Amino acid sequence: MSIITQDQAEKLRAADIAVPDVNETCIGCSACVAISEDVFELNDEGISEVVALDSYDGKDVDDAIAACPVDAISWENSRA
Ligand code: SF4
């Protein structure tokens, strides 16, 4: 799995595909990884990042958003 690039995220958004985002407040608790391991992985600094996928539907992202203790995860487009 590879981390999504800004370019890839912009292409998905342009196609009206919702893309999750993790902001700088992530504390690396790994709750999102436990809930949605296809979508989130911890980087070398122990911070969550979003994996490059064609779609994030059905991947429990909303559950990960709800579980994040610091509200670091959001949908990047109008689906939010
Ligand atoms: S649940 Fe939130 S704080 Fe924990 S690793 Fe994921 S984004 Fe970071």
Side-chain angles (χ1 to χ4, degrees):
M1 296 190 292
S2 58
I3 301 303
I4 192 167
T5 65
Q6 197 58 38
D7 203 38
Q8 289 171 315
E10 283 171 13
K11 281 183 183 153
L12 289 174
R13 286 200 305 274
D16 205 25
I17 293 169
V19 182
D21 177 64
V22 178
N23 70 30
E24 70 285 350
T25 62
C26 171
I27 57 172
C29 74
S30 79
C32 58
V33 180
I35 291 168
S36 187
E37 62 183 359
D38 290 344
V39 173
F40 301 98
E41 66 179 39
L42 297 187
N43 65 19
D44 291 344
E45 281 97 45
I47 298 302
S48 177
E49 295 206 56
V50 175
V51 172
L53 297 174
D54 292 336
S55 167
Y56 298 88
D57 278 348
K59 298 288 186 183
D60 297 331
V61 173
D62 287 326
D63 289 345
I65 289 172
C68 179
V70 292
D71 292 332
I73 310 168
S74 61
W75 289 108
E76 275 190 337
N77 64 12
S78 58
R79 179 178 158 160

Coordinates of all heavy atoms in Angstrom, one line a residue:
M1 N 0.9 -1.2 0.0 CA 0.0 0.0 0.0 C 0.9 1.2 0.0 O 1.9 1.3 0.6 CB -0.9 0.0 1.3 CG -1.9 -1.1 1.3 SD -3.1 -1.0 2.6 CE -2.0 -1.1 4.1
S2 N 0.4 2.3 -0.7 CA 1.2 3.5 -0.7 C 0.3 4.7 -0.3 O -0.9 4.6 -0.5 CB 1.8 3.8 -2.1 OG 0.8 3.8 -3.0
I3 N 0.9 5.7 0.3 CA 0.2 6.8 0.8 C -0.3 7.7 -0.4 O 0.5 7.8 -1.4 CB 1.2 7.7 1.7 CG1 1.7 6.9 2.9 CG2 0.5 9.0 2.1 CD1 0.6 6.3 3.7
I4 N -1.5 8.1 -0.3 CA -2.0 8.9 -1.4 C -1.2 10.3 -1.6 O -0.9 10.9 -0.6 CB -3.5 9.2 -1.2 CG1 -4.1 9.7 -2.5 CG2 -3.8 10.1 0.0 CD1 -5.7 9.7 -2.5
T5 N -1.0 10.6 -2.8 CA -0.3 11.9 -3.0 C -1.4 13.0 -3.2 O -2.5 12.7 -3.4 CB 0.5 11.9 -4.3 OG1 -0.3 11.7 -5.4 CG2 1.6 10.7 -4.3
Q6 N -0.9 14.2 -3.1 CA -1.9 15.3 -3.3 C -2.5 15.3 -4.7 O -3.7 15.6 -4.9 CB -1.1 16.7 -3.0 CG -2.1 17.8 -2.8 CD -3.0 17.6 -1.6 OE1 -2.6 17.0 -0.6 NE2 -4.2 18.0 -1.7
D7 N -1.6 14.9 -5.6 CA -2.1 14.8 -7.0 C -3.2 13.8 -7.2 O -4.2 14.0 -7.8 CB -0.9 14.5 -7.9 CG -1.1 14.9 -9.3 OD1 -1.6 16.0 -9.5 OD2 -0.7 14.1 -10.2
Q8 N -3.0 12.6 -6.6 CA -4.0 11.6 -6.6 C -5.3 12.0 -6.0 O -6.4 11.7 -6.5 CB -3.4 10.3 -6.0 CG -2.3 9.6 -6.7 CD -1.7 8.5 -5.9 OE1 -1.4 8.6 -4.8 NE2 -1.5 7.3 -6.6
A9 N -5.1 12.6 -4.8 CA -6.3 13.1 -4.1 C -7.1 14.1 -4.9 O -8.3 14.1 -5.0 CB -5.9 13.7 -2.7
E10 N -6.4 15.0 -5.6 CA -7.1 16.0 -6.4 C -7.8 15.4 -7.5 O -8.9 15.8 -7.9 CB -6.1 17.1 -6.9 CG -5.7 18.0 -5.8 CD -4.5 19.0 -6.1 OE1 -4.2 19.0 -7.3 OE2 -4.0 19.6 -5.2
K11 N -7.2 14.4 -8.1 CA -7.9 13.7 -9.3 C -9.2 13.0 -8.8 O -10.2 13.0 -9.5 CB -6.9 12.7 -9.9 CG -5.9 13.3 -10.8 CD -5.0 12.3 -11.5 CE -4.0 13.0 -12.3 NZ -2.8 12.3 -12.5
L12 N -9.1 12.4 -7.7 CA -10.3 11.7 -7.1 C -11.4 12.7 -6.8 O -12.6 12.6 -7.2 CB -10.0 10.9 -5.9 CG -9.1 9.6 -6.1 CD1 -8.7 9.0 -4.8 CD2 -9.9 8.6 -6.9
R13 N -11.0 13.8 -6.2 CA -12.0 14.9 -5.9 C -12.6 15.5 -7.1 O -13.8 15.8 -7.2 CB -11.3 16.0 -5.0 CG -11.1 15.5 -3.6 CD -10.9 16.7 -2.7 NE -9.9 17.6 -3.1 CZ -8.6 17.5 -2.9 NH1 -8.2 16.5 -2.1 NH2 -7.7 18.4 -3.3
A14 N -11.8 15.6 -8.2 CA -12.3 16.1 -9.4 C -13.3 15.2 -10.0 O -14.2 15.6 -10.8 CB -11.1 16.3 -10.4
A15 N -13.2 13.9 -9.7 CA -14.2 12.9 -10.2 C -15.3 12.7 -9.2 O -16.1 11.8 -9.3 CB -13.5 11.6 -10.4
D16 N -15.4 13.7 -8.2 CA -16.4 13.7 -7.2 C -16.4 12.4 -6.3 O -17.4 11.9 -5.9 CB -17.8 13.8 -7.9 CG -18.8 14.4 -6.9 OD1 -18.4 15.1 -5.9 OD2 -20.0 14.1 -7.0
I17 N -15.2 11.9 -6.1 CA -15.0 10.8 -5.2 C -14.4 11.4 -3.9 O -13.5 12.1 -3.8 CB -13.9 9.8 -5.8 CG1 -14.6 9.1 -7.0 CG2 -13.5 8.8 -4.7 CD1 -13.6 8.3 -7.8
A18 N -15.1 11.0 -2.8 CA -14.8 11.5 -1.5 C -13.5 10.9 -1.0 O -13.3 9.7 -1.1 CB -15.9 11.2 -0.5
V19 N -12.6 11.8 -0.5 CA -11.3 11.3 0.0 C -11.1 11.7 1.4 O -11.2 12.9 1.7 CB -10.1 11.9 -0.9 CG1 -8.8 11.4 -0.5 CG2 -10.4 11.7 -2.4
P20 N -10.7 10.8 2.3 CA -10.5 11.2 3.7 C -9.1 11.9 3.8 O -8.2 11.7 3.0 CB -10.5 9.9 4.5 CG -10.2 8.8 3.5 CD -10.6 9.4 2.1
D21 N -9.0 12.7 4.8 CA -7.8 13.5 5.1 C -7.5 13.4 6.6 O -8.4 13.4 7.4 CB -8.0 14.9 4.7 CG -6.8 15.8 5.0 OD1 -5.7 15.5 4.4 OD2 -6.8 16.7 5.9
V22 N -6.2 13.3 6.9 CA -5.8 13.3 8.3 C -5.0 14.6 8.5 O -4.0 14.9 7.8 CB -4.9 12.1 8.7 CG1 -4.4 12.2 10.1 CG2 -5.6 10.8 8.4
N23 N -5.4 15.4 9.5 CA -4.7 16.7 9.7 C -3.6 16.5 10.7 O -3.3 15.5 11.3 CB -5.6 17.8 10.0 CG -6.3 17.7 11.4 OD1 -5.7 17.2 12.3 ND2 -7.5 18.2 11.5
E24 N -2.9 17.7 11.0 CA -1.7 17.7 11.8 C -1.9 17.4 13.3 O -1.0 17.3 14.0 CB -0.9 19.0 11.6 CG -1.5 20.2 12.2 CD -2.7 20.7 11.4 OE1 -2.9 20.2 10.2 OE2 -3.4 21.6 11.9
T25 N -3.2 17.3 13.7 CA -3.5 17.1 15.1 C -3.4 15.6 15.5 O -3.5 15.3 16.6 CB -4.8 17.7 15.5 OG1 -5.8 17.0 14.7 CG2 -4.9 19.2 15.2
C26 N -3.2 14.8 14.5 CA -3.1 13.3 14.8 C -2.1 13.0 15.8 O -0.9 13.6 15.7 CB -2.8 12.6 13.5 SG -2.4 10.8 13.7
I27 N -2.4 12.2 16.8 CA -1.5 11.8 17.9 C -1.0 10.4 17.7 O -0.3 9.9 18.6 CB -2.1 12.0 19.3 CG1 -3.4 11.2 19.4 CG2 -2.4 13.5 19.5 CD1 -4.1 11.2 20.8
G28 N -1.4 9.8 16.6 CA -0.8 8.4 16.4 C -1.4 7.3 17.3 O -0.7 6.3 17.5
C29 N -2.6 7.5 17.7 CA -3.2 6.5 18.6 C -3.5 5.1 17.9 O -3.7 4.1 18.5 CB -4.4 7.0 19.3 SG -5.9 7.0 18.2
S30 N -3.6 5.2 16.6 CA -3.8 4.0 15.7 C -5.3 3.5 15.7 O -5.5 2.4 15.2 CB -2.8 2.9 15.9 OG -3.2 2.1 17.1
A31 N -6.2 4.2 16.4 CA -7.6 3.8 16.3 C -8.1 3.7 14.9 O -8.8 2.7 14.6 CB -8.4 4.7 17.2
C32 N -7.8 4.6 14.1 CA -8.3 4.6 12.7 C -7.7 3.4 11.9 O -8.4 2.8 11.1 CB -8.0 5.9 12.0 SG -6.2 6.3 11.9
V33 N -6.5 3.1 12.2 CA -5.9 1.9 11.5 C -6.6 0.6 11.9 O -6.8 -0.2 11.1 CB -4.4 1.9 11.9 CG1 -3.7 0.7 11.2 CG2 -3.7 3.2 11.4
A34 N -6.9 0.5 13.2 CA -7.6 -0.7 13.7 C -9.0 -0.8 13.1 O -9.4 -1.9 12.8 CB -7.7 -0.6 15.3
I35 N -9.6 0.3 12.9 CA -11.0 0.3 12.4 C -11.0 0.1 10.9 O -11.8 -0.6 10.3 CB -11.7 1.6 12.8 CG1 -12.0 1.6 14.3 CG2 -13.0 1.7 12.0 CD1 -12.4 2.9 14.8
S36 N -10.1 0.8 10.2 CA -10.1 0.8 8.7 C -8.7 0.7 8.2 O -8.1 1.6 7.7 CB -10.8 2.1 8.3 OG -11.0 2.2 6.9
E37 N -8.2 -0.6 8.3 CA -6.8 -0.8 8.0 C -6.5 -0.7 6.5 O -5.4 -0.5 6.1 CB -6.4 -2.2 8.5 CG -7.1 -3.3 7.9 CD -6.7 -4.7 8.5 OE1 -5.8 -4.7 9.3 OE2 -7.3 -5.7 8.0
D38 N -7.6 -0.8 5.6 CA -7.3 -0.6 4.2 C -7.0 0.9 3.9 O -6.4 1.2 2.9 CB -8.6 -1.0 3.4 CG -8.8 -2.5 3.4 OD1 -7.8 -3.2 3.8 OD2 -9.9 -2.9 3.0
V39 N -7.5 1.8 4.7 CA -7.5 3.2 4.4 C -6.4 3.9 5.1 O -5.8 4.8 4.5 CB -8.9 3.9 4.7 CG1 -8.8 5.4 4.6 CG2 -10.0 3.3 3.9
F40 N -6.1 3.6 6.4 CA -5.2 4.3 7.2 C -4.0 3.5 7.5 O -4.1 2.3 7.8 CB -5.8 4.8 8.5 CG -7.0 5.7 8.2 CD1 -8.3 5.2 8.3 CD2 -6.9 7.0 7.9 CE1 -9.4 6.0 8.1 CE2 -8.0 7.9 7.7 CZ -9.2 7.3 7.8
E41 N -2.8 4.1 7.5 CA -1.6 3.4 8.0 C -0.7 4.5 8.7 O -0.7 5.6 8.4 CB -0.8 2.6 7.0 CG -0.2 3.5 5.9 CD 0.5 2.6 4.9 OE1 0.0 1.5 4.5 OE2 1.6 3.0 4.4
L42 N 0.1 4.0 9.7 CA 1.0 4.9 10.4 C 2.3 5.1 9.6 O 2.8 4.1 9.2 CB 1.2 4.4 11.8 CG 0.0 4.3 12.7 CD1 0.5 3.9 14.2 CD2 -0.8 5.6 12.8
N43 N 2.7 6.3 9.5 CA 4.0 6.5 8.8 C 5.2 6.3 9.7 O 5.0 5.9 10.9 CB 4.0 7.9 8.1 CG 3.9 9.0 9.2 OD1 4.3 8.8 10.3 ND2 3.6 10.2 8.7
D44 N 6.4 6.6 9.3 CA 7.6 6.4 10.1 C 7.6 7.2 11.4 O 8.3 6.9 12.3 CB 8.8 6.7 9.3 CG 9.0 5.7 8.1 OD1 8.4 4.6 8.2 OD2 9.8 6.0 7.2
E45 N 6.8 8.3 11.3 CA 6.8 9.1 12.6 C 5.6 8.7 13.5 O 5.4 9.3 14.5 CB 6.6 10.6 12.2 CG 7.8 11.3 11.8 CD 8.0 11.3 10.2 OE1 7.0 11.7 9.6 OE2 9.1 11.0 9.7
G46 N 4.9 7.6 13.1 CA 3.8 7.2 13.9 C 2.5 8.0 13.7 O 1.7 7.9 14.6
I47 N 2.4 8.7 12.6 CA 1.3 9.5 12.4 C 0.5 8.8 11.3 O 1.0 8.3 10.3 CB 1.7 10.9 11.9 CG1 2.5 11.6 13.1 CG2 0.5 11.8 11.5 CD1 1.7 11.7 14.4
S48 N -0.9 8.9 11.4 CA -1.7 8.3 10.4 C -1.7 9.0 9.1 O -1.7 10.2 9.0 CB -3.2 8.2 10.9 OG -4.0 7.6 10.0
E49 N -1.7 8.2 8.0 CA -1.8 8.8 6.6 C -2.8 7.9 5.9 O -3.1 6.8 6.2 CB -0.5 8.8 5.9 CG 0.5 9.7 6.6 CD 1.6 10.2 5.7 OE1 1.2 10.8 4.6 OE2 2.8 9.9 6.0
V50 N -3.4 8.5 4.8 CA -4.4 7.9 4.0 C -3.7 7.1 2.8 O -2.8 7.7 2.1 CB -5.4 8.9 3.4 CG1 -6.4 8.3 2.5 CG2 -6.1 9.6 4.6
V51 N -4.1 5.9 2.7 CA -3.6 5.0 1.6 C -4.3 5.4 0.3 O -5.5 5.7 0.3 CB -3.9 3.5 2.0 CG1 -3.5 2.6 0.8 CG2 -3.1 3.2 3.2
A52 N -3.5 5.3 -0.8 CA -4.1 5.5 -2.1 C -5.0 4.4 -2.5 O -4.6 3.3 -2.7 CB -3.0 5.7 -3.2
L53 N -6.3 4.7 -2.7 CA -7.3 3.8 -3.2 C -8.1 4.4 -4.3 O -8.1 5.7 -4.4 CB -8.3 3.4 -2.1 CG -7.7 2.7 -0.9 CD1 -8.7 2.5 0.2 CD2 -7.1 1.3 -1.3
D54 N -8.9 3.6 -5.1 CA -9.7 4.2 -6.1 C -11.0 4.8 -5.5 O -11.6 5.6 -6.1 CB -10.1 3.1 -7.1 CG -8.9 2.7 -7.9 OD1 -7.9 3.5 -8.1 OD2 -8.9 1.5 -8.4
S55 N -11.4 4.2 -4.4 CA -12.6 4.7 -3.7 C -12.5 4.3 -2.2 O -11.9 3.4 -1.9 CB -13.8 4.0 -4.3 OG -15.0 4.2 -3.5
Y56 N -13.2 5.1 -1.4 CA -13.2 4.9 0.0 C -14.5 4.5 0.6 O -14.7 4.5 1.8 CB -12.6 6.2 0.7 CG -11.2 6.5 0.3 CD1 -11.0 7.2 -0.8 CD2 -10.1 5.9 1.0 CE1 -9.7 7.5 -1.3 CE2 -8.8 6.1 0.5 CZ -8.6 6.9 -0.6 OH -7.3 7.1 -1.0
D57 N -15.4 4.2 -0.4 CA -16.8 3.7 0.0 C -16.7 2.4 0.7 O -15.9 1.5 0.3 CB -17.7 3.6 -1.2 CG -18.3 4.9 -1.6 OD1 -18.2 5.9 -0.9 OD2 -18.8 5.0 -2.8
G58 N -17.5 2.2 1.7 CA -17.5 0.9 2.4 C -16.3 0.5 3.1 O -16.0 -0.7 3.4
K59 N -15.5 1.5 3.5 CA -14.2 1.2 4.2 C -14.2 1.7 5.6 O -13.1 1.9 6.2 CB -13.1 1.9 3.4 CG -12.9 1.4 2.0 CD -12.3 0.0 2.0 CE -11.9 -0.4 0.6 NZ -11.4 -1.8 0.5
D60 N -15.4 1.9 6.2 CA -15.5 2.3 7.6 C -14.8 3.6 8.0 O -14.4 3.8 9.1 CB -14.9 1.1 8.5 CG -15.7 -0.2 8.4 OD1 -16.9 -0.1 8.1 OD2 -15.1 -1.2 8.5
V61 N -14.7 4.5 7.0 CA -14.0 5.8 7.3 C -14.9 6.6 8.2 O -14.3 7.2 9.2 CB -13.8 6.6 5.9 CG1 -13.3 8.0 6.3 CG2 -12.8 5.8 5.1
D62 N -16.2 6.5 8.1 CA -17.0 7.3 9.1 C -16.8 6.8 10.5 O -16.8 7.6 11.4 CB -18.5 7.2 8.7 CG -18.8 8.1 7.4 OD1 -18.2 9.1 7.3 OD2 -19.6 7.6 6.6
D63 N -16.6 5.5 10.6 CA -16.4 4.9 12.0 C -15.0 5.4 12.5 O -14.9 5.7 13.7 CB -16.4 3.4 11.9 CG -17.8 2.8 11.7 OD1 -18.8 3.6 11.9 OD2 -17.9 1.6 11.4
A64 N -14.0 5.5 11.6 CA -12.7 6.0 12.0 C -12.8 7.4 12.4 O -12.2 7.9 13.4 CB -11.7 5.8 10.9
I65 N -13.6 8.2 11.7 CA -13.7 9.6 12.0 C -14.4 9.8 13.4 O -13.9 10.6 14.2 CB -14.6 10.3 10.9 CG1 -13.9 10.5 9.6 CG2 -15.1 11.7 11.4 CD1 -14.7 10.9 8.4
A66 N -15.4 8.9 13.7 CA -16.1 9.0 14.9 C -15.1 8.6 16.1 O -15.3 9.1 17.2 CB -17.3 8.1 14.9
A67 N -14.2 7.7 15.8 CA -13.4 7.1 16.9 C -12.1 8.0 17.1 O -11.5 7.8 18.2 CB -12.9 5.7 16.5
C68 N -11.8 8.8 16.2 CA -10.5 9.6 16.4 C -10.7 10.5 17.6 O -11.6 11.3 17.7 CB -10.2 10.4 15.2 SG -8.7 11.4 15.3
P69 N -9.8 10.4 18.6 CA -9.9 11.2 19.8 C -9.6 12.7 19.7 O -10.0 13.5 20.6 CB -8.9 10.5 20.8 CG -7.9 9.9 19.9 CD -8.6 9.5 18.7
V70 N -9.0 13.0 18.6 CA -8.6 14.5 18.4 C -9.3 15.1 17.1 O -8.9 16.1 16.7 CB -7.1 14.6 18.3 CG1 -6.5 14.3 19.7 CG2 -6.5 13.8 17.2
D71 N -10.3 14.3 16.6 CA -11.0 14.8 15.4 C -10.0 15.2 14.3 O -10.2 16.3 13.6 CB -11.9 16.0 15.8 CG -13.0 15.6 16.7 OD1 -13.5 14.5 16.6 OD2 -13.5 16.5 17.4
A72 N -9.1 14.4 14.0 CA -8.1 14.7 13.0 C -8.5 14.3 11.6 O -7.9 14.7 10.6 CB -6.7 14.0 13.4
I73 N -9.5 13.4 11.5 CA -9.9 12.9 10.2 C -11.2 13.6 9.7 O -12.1 13.8 10.5 CB -10.2 11.4 10.3 CG1 -9.1 10.6 11.0 CG2 -10.4 10.8 8.9 CD1 -9.4 9.2 11.4
S74 N -11.2 13.9 8.4 CA -12.4 14.5 7.8 C -12.4 14.0 6.4 O -11.4 13.6 5.8 CB -12.3 16.0 7.9 OG -11.2 16.5 7.2
W75 N -13.6 14.2 5.8 CA -13.7 14.0 4.3 C -13.3 15.3 3.7 O -13.6 16.4 4.1 CB -15.2 13.7 3.9 CG -15.7 12.4 4.3 CD1 -16.5 12.1 5.3 CD2 -15.3 11.1 3.7 NE1 -16.8 10.7 5.4 CE2 -16.0 10.1 4.4 CE3 -14.5 10.7 2.7 CZ2 -15.9 8.7 4.1 CZ3 -14.3 9.4 2.3 CH2 -15.1 8.4 3.0
E76 N -12.6 15.2 2.6 CA -12.0 16.4 2.0 C -13.0 17.1 1.1 O -12.6 18.2 0.6 CB -10.8 16.0 1.1 CG -9.5 15.9 1.9 CD -8.3 15.8 1.0 OE1 -8.5 15.3 -0.2 OE2 -7.2 16.1 1.4
N77 N -14.1 16.5 0.8 CA -15.0 17.2 -0.2 C -16.4 17.3 0.4 O -16.6 17.1 1.6 CB -15.0 16.6 -1.6 CG -15.5 15.2 -1.5 OD1 -16.1 14.8 -0.5 ND2 -15.3 14.4 -2.6
S78 N -17.3 17.6 -0.4 CA -18.7 18.0 0.0 C -19.4 16.9 0.6 O -20.5 17.1 1.2 CB -19.5 18.5 -1.2 OG -19.5 17.5 -2.2
R79 N -18.9 15.6 0.6 CA -19.6 14.5 1.2 C -19.6 14.7 2.7 O -20.5 14.1 3.4 CB -18.9 13.2 0.8 CG -19.6 12.0 1.5 CD -18.9 10.7 1.0 NE -19.2 9.7 2.0 CZ -19.1 8.4 1.8 NH1 -18.7 8.0 0.6 NH2 -19.4 7.5 2.7
A80 N -18.8 15.5 3.3 CA -18.6 15.6 4.7 C -19.9 15.9 5.5 O -20.8 16.5 5.0 CB -17.6 16.7 5.1
Ligands
SF4_1 S1 -7.5 7.9 15.2 FE1 -7.0 10.0 14.9 S2 -5.3 10.4 16.4 FE2 -5.5 8.2 16.2 S3 -4.0 7.6 14.6 FE3 -6.0 7.9 13.6 S4 -6.0 10.1 12.9 FE4 -4.4 9.8 14.4

